[in-house]
Amino acid sequence: MRHPPQELERFVAAIDAALPEPASILVIGGAAAALAYGATRPTDDIDTFHPLTPVVQKAVEAAQRSTGLTIPVSFAAVADAPYDFEDRLIPIR
């Protein structure tokens, strides 16, 4: 199922609300383009640059239940980033 940016924003907010402690998720791909750069094209999932911690995984599952959105969130096993890409990351709070 394709998810527009508005659904992604609502889903990520629900993940944040479900977290019992501070955590971060490095989102890449289409979801990152929609959340941080105003892309309007829907996406199927939320890809991450690092594996999800158990705390984040539980928050994702809680967000899926509370929103009714079954957006998959998973580690993108194949992703190549340029040297020092971390210096250009944009935090979304």
Side-chain angles (χ1 to χ4, degrees):
M1 174 179 237
R2 308 289 289 172
H3 301 281
Q6 299 83 357
E7 284 185 0
L8 295 174
E9 290 170 6
R10 185 165 60 101
F11 187 69
V12 169
I15 293 171
D16 184 54
L19 286 168
E21 60 192 49
S24 63
I25 304 170
L26 180 50
V27 176
I28 61 175
L35 292 167
Y37 299 102
T40 58
R41 190 173 184 177
T43 187
D44 294 324
D45 59 5
I46 297 175
D47 294 318
T48 66
F49 194 71
H50 302 103
L52 301 180
T53 65
V55 168
V56 171
Q57 182 60 48
K58 286 181 182 180
V60 167
E61 292 164 4
Q64 290 170 334
R65 287 189 303 274
S66 70
T67 64
L69 297 170
T70 56
I71 301 174
V73 180
S74 59
F75 169 55
V78 178
D80 191 23
Y83 180 75
D84 283 342
F85 78 97
E86 296 96 341
D87 295 339
R88 296 183 299 280
L89 294 177
I90 299 171
I92 299 175
R93 301 187 194 286

